[in-house]
Amino acid sequence: MSLQLLKNRVLKYNSREEDWALIRKAYDFALQAHSGQTRVSGSSYITHPLGVALLLTELELDLVTLMTGLLHDVLEDTNITYEEIEKEFGEEVAYLVDGVTKLSRMEFRSKEEHQAETWRKMFVAMDKDIRVILVKLADRTHNMRTLRHLNPEKQKEVARETLEIYAPLAHRLGIYKIKWELEDLAFRYMNTRDYYDLVEKLAKNRQEREEIIQQAMNILKEKLEDAGIEGDISGRPKHLYSIYTKMKEQGKDLNEIYDLTAVRVIVNTVKDCYAALGIVHTLWKPIPGHFNDYIAMPKSNMYQSLHTTVVFAENELLEVQIRTWDMHRTAEYGIAAHWRYKEKARDDREFEEKLSWLRQLLEWQQELKDAHEFMEHVKIDLFTDEVFVFTPRGDVIDLPAGSIPLDFAYKIHTDIGNRCVGAKANGRIVPLDYQLKTGDIIEIITSKSGTPSRDWLKMVKSSQAKSKIRAWFKKERREENISKGKESLERELRRLHLDSRALLKEQLVEEVGKRFNLLSEEDVYAAVGYGGVSVQQVISKLREEYRRLYGDEDEAPPVEIKPWKGAAKAAHGIKVQGVDNLLVRFSKCCNPLPGDDIIGFITRGRGVSIHRRDCSNIQGASGDNDRYINVFWETDSDLSYPVEIEITAMDRANLLAELMNVVSESKVNITAVNGRTSKDKVAIIHLTFVVKDLDHLEFIMNRLKRVKDVFSVRRHTGATADKEKSSRGKHRKGGRGT
């Protein structure tokens, strides 16, 4: 590796002497900056940036990128400043070097957070200039080539990150030349024994395979010449990691994997591609289901080619790839090839479309504050496998493998996803958790009353869908989430016998919110309500903050239990404060359960009516009204209480029977059933049964949600009841309605 080699490679595609002078200047600057530094191998440090620059010349990248490759470590590993680089080499080079630099000088709470913030910065830099990641990929490739000098533990750590992030990223950018090398090198250090075992097995029958490939190439070349098609034919052995992955996924040994090699045919025109495909299928029998037309339907990373697998000989399958020279250039160099042949690629509309996945990634990554969650989503979004499905109009939609109709709905439009209640695949109704297959024609069934379910977050595959579902719960139901979050925290604090008045002070809640990047008390309650943070996480932080502020020796303040004046005996599991021997009845508008926050309303001649505090019939109630009275649940009550729930599902045979069986298996008594079906074939069923408390109800509802074709299961709230009463003209106002 030498400076002369770099010069030779640069001059092959850029003969301007003034450009080489600038590259030489960047090399001398890096050499001086890294003076005295050595790598773990003992070699001079300059060998690394020089190696990175040489890799970038293989992609035939521009002057600025090559200078960045030579300078990419000076900000991180030397005392050189951003301003010095900008002064010597200009703003563009300085920006790229800064984009590649890790955030090594900032303090983070964990290694994962450090990694997450590094990638956040890099994605933002990529959005402005894609060359940032091209330099980063070259940097990682050279590091992987010299990984043998590190200790085994570090080798595995670097190899794992390479396999999880860098190789999929190279795939996303279409740079297969780098992707394949990164995968094979990572495989070597991640699973050393399996790697060398596979190398040894492949070496034993290499000569036999090479003879078969040569025979196939000779036959195909002769037939193409007879048809007047000019083409370059070459054999390509499958990469080690792809063979290993196939063996693991299919549970097969090497001798059971037949398509270990591929023949690549490169022709001049698209017309010749399809003509060559016809010749291949005439010569050898194609394997059904093993043909992919990536020319008509290019991959999202710009890859185009025809892939087919044929039976060449007994127990010998042969994969044939057919493409044009332009397609081959893009297949090898991906986005780098596009950059190379479009001087102003950043202003090119087609180029922008190819990076649409990056725009989507940047949209949702802003909302993910948790480092672990962010890294998981990056890995999902970069993974290699995709499915291609169609809209009813014939538009092609690409999604991550494993996607479901909800992913498709949100890819089409946010509103379609939010109102989705069902789906059809190839004209037949399918459940919302149906895994999409390439070629499926998907139709989404929507309803004006349809809304997202929190269960969808666990079902969808794409980060885009997850982001949009979270956004809906954050914005559309903020008030509801605030109320639900606060109620959940208060209920859990009561269960733990902790004083909610002390722990839920605004100052405490806001301080805890800062730990989750939440700005206000309401933001904390809303985050708990939509599932952004768990009740247990918040309570744990509240207790820590309480001890820090007040120096209490105890973990948290216990609940102060004051004796009631004239406490009454419990009636129907309810105690009324300060009053004895009152008739107690539960309101039918909201059906309160033990665990709900409740209030009593003194009726005329019918005792105390018990409501949930969030019931629409008593919204705005205050202690100043002499008809409202404090009531409490009797903790030792063995009573059961009626509750009504609403189930929305795709109508089908035996649906009601399955739902009833779930409730019956929970050993509760069903007292009423009512249902209807809309013209969209959506069934809305109301079930009334008796339960012990709120936890008991949630257990049954969670079981009902798992029934096939069920979209949502909700408690029939006071607001819903009011709406139905209003539609029948029977809504009674004020206290008389209770």
Side-chain angles (χ1 to χ4, degrees):
M1 188 184 299
S2 67
L3 187 61
Q4 185 59 46
L5 178 59
L6 178 64
K7 183 177 182 179
N8 293 342
R9 288 191 180 180
V10 171
L11 293 178
K12 278 185 180 179
Y13 66 93
N14 182 357
S15 57
R16 295 174 58 181
E17 285 294 334
E18 59 269 32
D19 283 356
W20 170 250
L22 286 171
I23 294 171
R24 177 60 192 261
K25 179 183 176 182
Y27 172 82
D28 291 337
F29 188 92
L31 182 64
Q32 180 62 35
H34 292 294
S35 177
Q37 295 180 355
T38 58
R39 306 198 79 204
V40 177
S41 62
S43 60
S44 174
Y45 196 90
I46 194 62
T47 59
H48 172 61
L50 182 58
V52 170
L54 284 164
L55 277 162
L56 294 171
T57 61
E58 292 180 21
L59 301 177
E60 296 188 10
L61 287 167
D62 63 315
L63 168 67
V64 170
T65 313
L66 294 177
M67 292 166 69
T68 302
L70 289 165
L71 299 166
H72 77 275
D73 272 339
V74 296
L75 281 182
E76 182 177 348
D77 296 329
T78 76
N79 294 323
I80 299 297
T81 65
Y82 181 96
E83 289 72 23
E84 288 178 84
I85 297 177
E86 186 178 22
K87 180 181 177 182
E88 290 290 331
F89 302 101
E91 183 181 355
E92 192 175 11
V93 172
Y95 175 80
L96 290 179
V97 173
D98 185 56
V100 178
T101 303
K102 296 176 185 175
L103 306 183
S104 56
R105 293 169 186 166
M106 293 179 65
E107 293 184 5
F108 297 98
R109 287 181 295 226
S110 67
K111 184 175 182 180
E112 190 166 39
E113 184 180 353
H114 180 283
Q115 186 187 39
E117 291 306 318
T118 299
W119 280 95
R120 282 184 203 271
K121 180 183 180 184
M122 206 176 304
F123 287 134
V124 171
M126 280 170 63
D127 184 36
K128 295 180 180 178
D129 198 321
I130 196 66
R131 290 174 293 180
V132 167
I133 204 61
L134 298 181
V135 176
K136 192 67 181 174
L137 286 171
D139 174 43
R140 177 51 60 110
T141 304
H142 187 261
N143 280 331
M144 288 299 296
R145 288 179 177 179
T146 57
L147 197 61
R148 63 186 179 278
H149 299 293
L150 300 182
N151 63 64
E153 186 178 345
K154 187 65 176 177
Q155 286 175 351
K156 281 185 168 56
E157 181 185 328
V158 174
R160 183 178 291 105
E161 184 185 41
T162 300
L163 210 52
E164 290 180 347
I165 299 290
Y166 287 93
L169 188 55
H171 171 88
R172 266 293 191 176
L173 296 171
I175 312 173
Y176 287 92
K177 185 180 183 68
I178 286 179
K179 176 207 171 187
W180 291 323
E181 182 175 359
L182 288 177
E183 284 182 340
D184 282 355
L185 287 169
F187 173 35
R188 174 182 170 185
Y189 292 103
M190 281 280 292
N191 304 89
T192 305
R193 182 181 298 176
D194 290 347
Y195 174 86
Y196 285 107
D197 182 52
L198 186 58
V199 169
E200 186 179 347
K201 288 179 178 178
L202 287 170
K204 289 180 180 177
N205 56 3
R206 176 177 295 162
Q207 185 176 350
E208 181 183 346
R209 285 203 321 276
E210 288 176 351
E211 289 174 359
I212 292 172
I213 288 296
Q214 191 59 51
Q215 183 183 351
M217 288 167 56
N218 292 338
I219 295 171
L220 188 54
K221 185 176 182 179
E222 182 182 341
K223 292 297 181 182
L224 288 176
E225 288 175 352
D226 290 345
I229 298 173
E230 291 183 19
D232 180 85
I233 304 173
S234 60
R236 181 184 68 84
K238 288 279 185 83
H239 295 274
L240 291 171
Y241 184 70
S242 64
I243 296 172
Y244 177 75
T245 303
K246 194 169 189 177
M247 290 167 60
K248 289 296 180 184
E249 287 177 352
Q250 299 181 7
K252 293 181 178 179
D253 196 15
L254 183 63
N255 56 18
E256 298 175 279
I257 304 293
Y258 300 117
D259 55 336
L260 295 176
T261 49
V263 169
R264 181 177 292 150
V265 181
I266 305 177
V267 293
N268 294 324
T269 66
V270 173
K271 181 181 176 182
D272 287 346
C273 288
Y274 288 100
L277 177 68
I279 291 172
V280 170
H281 285 176
T282 302
L283 286 171
W284 304 297
K285 184 178 180 180
I287 303 295
H290 285 257
F291 169 69
N292 289 296
D293 187 347
Y294 294 119
I295 294 178
M297 285 196 303
K299 291 187 177 183
S300 58
N301 60 15
M302 304 182 293
Y303 179 87
Q304 287 184 287
S305 190
L306 297 175
H307 288 200
T308 187
T309 303
V310 296
V311 180
F312 176 70
E314 186 178 354
N315 287 340
E316 192 66 47
L317 302 184
L318 182 69
E319 183 184 337
V320 182
Q321 299 174 356
I322 307 169
R323 61 180 68 144
T324 66
W325 286 103
D326 283 342
M327 293 174 191
H328 179 63
R329 194 177 297 112
T330 299
E332 291 289 301
Y333 303 113
I335 207 82
H338 195 93
W339 179 274
R340 193 170 80 219
Y341 289 96
K342 300 270 186 180
E343 283 288 326
K344 297 182 180 178
R346 283 167 292 179
D347 299 323
D348 182 60
R349 185 175 177 182
E350 183 187 357
F351 182 81
E352 292 295 318
E353 289 176 0
K354 300 307 179 187
L355 291 179
S356 60
W357 61 272
L358 177 59
R359 308 285 181 273
Q360 294 167 11
L361 185 149
L362 286 167
E363 284 177 17
W364 58 257
Q365 67 97 1
Q366 296 292 338
E367 299 181 7
L368 298 177
K369 305 299 183 184
D370 179 75
H372 175 74
E373 188 176 10
F374 173 77
M375 291 310 298
E376 285 303 307
H377 279 68
V378 168
K379 293 170 189 176
I380 289 171
D381 213 61
L382 293 181
F383 266 127
T384 56
D385 294 333
E386 293 174 301
V387 292
F388 297 89
V389 294
F390 296 91
T391 67
R393 296 193 310 177
D395 296 327
V396 181
I397 304 296
D398 62 294
L399 292 162
S403 289
I404 61 176
L406 286 170
D407 292 291
F408 175 87
Y410 279 106
K411 184 79 179 253
I412 298 299
H413 195 278
T414 302
D415 195 43
I416 291 175
N418 289 339
R419 295 191 292 111
C420 174
V421 294
K424 291 181 181 180
N426 308 314
R428 300 180 64 180
I429 290 175
V430 294
L432 287 180
D433 61 356
Y434 165 80
Q435 286 203 1
L436 304 180
K437 300 178 181 66
T438 293
D440 282 348
I441 301 172
I442 305 299
E443 182 181 349
I444 299 299
I445 301 169
T446 61
S447 169
K448 289 182 179 179
S449 60
T451 56
S453 163
R454 285 185 174 81
D455 291 336
W456 289 5
L457 287 169
K458 301 174 185 175
M459 296 164 57
V460 294
K461 179 72 173 178
S462 65
S463 55
Q464 183 182 19
K466 288 180 187 289
S467 175
K468 290 182 176 181
I469 294 168
R470 283 195 183 92
W472 188 89
F473 280 110
K474 283 182 179 179
K475 295 175 185 176
E476 300 296 324
R477 286 191 165 183
R478 180 168 172 79
E479 293 303 318
E480 180 184 330
N481 287 328
I482 290 171
S483 176
K484 182 174 180 179
K486 187 172 183 180
E487 183 182 325
S488 298
L489 285 168
E490 288 175 342
R491 184 166 65 245
E492 182 64 10
L493 288 169
R494 283 198 301 271
R495 190 184 71 80
L496 296 171
H497 303 294
L498 299 173
D499 190 350
S500 61
R501 288 173 300 179
L503 283 171
L504 294 182
K505 288 179 180 178
E506 184 178 352
Q507 179 189 3
L508 275 175
V509 177
E510 286 186 352
E511 283 300 318
V512 167
K514 291 176 183 176
R515 303 195 189 189
F516 299 102
N517 294 308
L518 301 168
L519 301 178
S520 68
E521 179 187 27
E522 288 189 343
D523 288 344
V524 176
Y525 291 140
V528 174
Y530 69 74
V533 292
S534 70
V535 172
Q536 290 74 22
Q537 283 178 307
V538 173
I539 289 179
S540 173
K541 301 299 181 188
L542 282 169
R543 296 169 83 166
E544 289 178 17
E545 195 63 28
Y546 184 89
R547 288 197 302 274
R548 187 182 71 81
L549 289 177
Y550 301 107
D552 200 310
E553 291 297 325
D554 298 326
E555 285 196 359
V559 177
E560 183 182 358
I561 303 174
K562 296 180 179 179
W564 301 340
K565 293 181 179 179
K569 293 181 179 178
H572 298 293
I574 295 291
K575 287 183 178 182
V576 181
Q577 183 174 359
V579 184
D580 202 357
N581 298 325
L582 271 181
L583 175 66
V584 172
R585 58 186 291 275
F586 292 97
S587 63
K588 294 182 179 179
C589 58
C590 58
N591 289 324
L593 296 175
D596 285 328
D597 195 6
I598 55 175
I599 192 170
F601 182 82
I602 302 173
T603 65
R604 293 184 175 90
R606 290 185 296 167
V608 178
S609 178
I610 309 299
H611 292 258
R612 287 163 51 188
R613 282 190 182 270
D614 61 357
C615 175
S616 60
N617 282 338
I618 54 102
Q619 284 295 315
S622 68
D624 296 335
N625 191 321
D626 58 6
R627 295 185 67 185
Y628 290 104
I629 189 168
N630 289 328
V631 292
F632 307 88
W633 292 107
E634 167 59 48
T635 55
D636 297 328
S637 173
D638 290 328
L639 298 174
S640 294
Y641 304 85
V643 65
E644 184 178 352
I645 64 169
E646 180 182 275
I647 303 168
T648 307
M650 182 59 63
D651 192 24
R652 61 172 172 82
N654 298 321
L655 173 65
L656 183 59
E658 290 181 28
L659 295 171
M660 300 284 276
N661 283 339
V662 168
V663 179
S664 298
E665 287 170 4
S666 302
K667 298 181 180 178
V668 298
N669 184 32
I670 301 172
T671 59
V673 181
N674 185 23
R676 67 182 187 277
T677 303
S678 71
K679 58 184 178 182
D680 292 329
K681 299 290 184 183
V682 175
I684 300 174
I685 301 166
H686 286 227
L687 286 181
T688 305
F689 47 84
V690 291
V691 294
K692 293 179 180 179
D693 53 30
L694 202 57
D695 291 338
H696 191 192
L697 172 63
E698 289 180 356
F699 169 77
I700 297 170
M701 289 174 65
N702 286 333
R703 293 196 63 191
L704 288 167
K705 288 175 184 176
R706 290 196 288 268
V707 174
K708 184 182 177 184
D709 295 330
V710 169
F711 305 140
S712 66
V713 180
R714 299 186 179 116
R715 188 172 174 183
H716 200 50
T717 63
T720 310
D722 278 347
K723 187 176 178 180
E724 291 179 354
K725 287 178 185 176
S726 177
S727 66
R728 296 194 299 265
K730 295 182 181 180
H731 182 219
R732 290 180 287 182
K733 298 180 180 179
R736 296 178 185 274
T738 61

